[in-house]
Amino acid sequence: MSGRLLCWCLAVAMASAAVDACLHPAPGWWAAVWLLPWWLTCATALAWAALRAREKADRPPPQGDARSDWEQAA
């Protein structure tokens, strides 16, 4: 879930940067709003990294000669 949120935040951030670069919006609030998706992207990247590290830490270690599912299927 956090990976999808990261991807969507990055997509919105890129879209807002494209709008800012191509259309040069004039409203005063735009200067603050177009940076918001970039900050959210940074925050979700940190959250994703922390959750991914926790997921990998919770994984049990491999057992001695345990074969993978692909090797067992062959």
Side-chain angles (χ1 to χ4, degrees):
M1 178 70 183
S2 62
R4 288 182 184 166
L5 182 60
L6 175 61
C7 289
W8 279 106
C9 285
L10 184 58
V12 170
M14 288 181 177
S16 70
V19 167
D20 188 58
C22 295
L23 301 179
H24 306 291
W29 51 266
W30 178 254
V33 171
W34 85 272
L35 287 175
L36 183 62
W38 289 107
W39 287 105
L40 289 174
T41 300
C42 293
T44 55
L46 291 173
W48 176 82
L51 290 171
R52 183 70 175 147
R54 184 175 178 190
E55 179 186 15
K56 285 188 171 258
D58 288 344
R59 200 174 287 170
Q63 301 294 327
D65 276 334
R67 298 185 328 175
S68 70
D69 292 338
W70 287 103
E71 290 173 348
Q72 290 177 357

